[in-house]
Amino acid sequence: MQATRILAIRHGETAWNVDTRIQGQLDIGLNDTGVWQAQRVGQALRDEDIHAIYSSDLGRAFQTAHAIAQADTRTQPVPLIPTAALRERHFGHLQGHTWAAIEADWPADAKLWRTRDPHWSPLGGESLLVLRERIARCVDALASQHLGEQIVLVAHGGVMDVLYRLATQQDIQAPRTWHLGNAAINRLLWTPQGLSLVGWGDVSHFERTSRDESSV
């Protein structure tokens, strides 16, 4: 069977994750916990047979990807490739605001967000449909180059959510019942027919629970 194994990793924790502040495509770096998480996931993956690491070019993801690349034990360095198509959903005018502020100042937007309206997009941002299409096309393009190999994708909570839904054929509006843990290890299999789920949300490489976040 022609297949590509994928290790999908959400970035480590940021101060804005802790504050429930929407990052979207703003470039926020890891906090101290996030740096530790990135190092731990790097150590967990250091003996994996990895042919390439593709990362969102936003700092929090690229820092995490760099830690994974640095921990690799092979003599020949694994290529680390910044990939803008793996960025988080663009949240437009809501970026930089906390969930509480959005509920108070933009209640109509907050309702559309909570109900996962697939066509709604924040002013200047992306809809869920646009996000899903972007991620699906990106993964197809990258995975098709690595048949018979394993790659790492380092990205964001919204991206991980799309990958899980594609792999399990969950509707875009289905309530989420799965975690999007910072620096958790998620395993997928890609074939020309699409994605399938191998394993999800592995945080056994941590000694304490990482922070989960619903949207960013």
Side-chain angles (χ1 to χ4, degrees):
M1 179 179 65
Q2 290 188 321
T4 302
R5 290 169 293 143
I6 297 174
L7 294 164
I9 313 295
R10 185 186 172 200
H11 63 77
E13 185 181 88
T14 73
W16 282 26
N17 289 154
V18 178
D19 293 342
T20 68
R21 192 174 298 277
I22 305 308
Q23 296 170 117
Q25 294 191 6
L26 298 179
D27 204 358
I28 310 302
L30 301 178
N31 63 12
D32 288 344
T33 298
V35 171
W36 176 84
Q37 291 171 334
Q39 292 170 345
R40 293 293 294 174
V41 75
Q43 290 298 309
L45 299 180
R46 66 180 182 174
D47 295 324
E48 293 272 354
D49 185 19
I50 297 169
H51 288 80
I53 302 170
Y54 296 94
S55 173
S56 161
D57 59 351
L58 296 175
R60 57 195 185 273
F62 202 78
Q63 282 180 266
T64 305
H66 183 71
I68 295 171
Q70 289 291 101
D72 187 78
T73 58
R74 293 188 294 179
T75 305
Q76 186 69 25
V78 177
L80 171 54
I81 304 159
T83 308
L86 289 173
R87 288 183 177 184
E88 179 59 282
R89 179 183 179 185
H90 199 306
F91 278 89
H93 72 292
L94 301 182
Q95 294 184 162
H97 299 281
T98 64
W99 299 347
I102 293 167
E103 289 279 358
D105 297 339
W106 297 281
D109 284 333
K111 181 178 180 180
L112 291 166
W113 185 7
R114 283 197 311 271
T115 57
R116 297 187 58 83
D117 184 309
H119 302 283
W120 169 77
S121 59
L123 183 63
E126 292 178 296
S127 70
L128 286 173
L129 289 172
V130 169
L131 174 66
R132 183 177 66 180
E133 178 64 17
R134 168 163 65 85
I135 299 307
R137 285 167 49 171
C138 177
V139 172
D140 285 348
L142 297 178
S144 63
Q145 302 174 45
H146 294 278
L147 292 172
E149 299 175 344
Q150 180 168 246
I151 61 174
V152 175
L153 304 181
V154 184
H156 307 267
V159 177
M160 296 299 121
D161 183 68
V162 168
L163 292 176
Y164 188 95
R165 290 174 189 275
L166 290 172
T168 59
Q169 300 182 11
Q170 295 268 354
D171 185 80
I172 199 169
Q173 287 188 278
R176 183 183 301 147
T177 58
W178 52 94
H179 293 294
L180 303 175
N182 290 107
I185 298 172
N186 308 300
R187 295 180 185 268
L188 304 162
L189 192 70
W190 181 92
T191 70
Q193 289 71 48
L195 285 170
S196 57
L197 189 66
V198 177
W200 194 263
D202 180 5
V203 291
S204 60
H205 46 290
F206 297 154
E207 298 174 359
R208 62 179 184 268
T209 303
S210 63
R211 182 177 301 272
D212 184 40
E213 177 190 8
S214 65
S215 298
V216 233

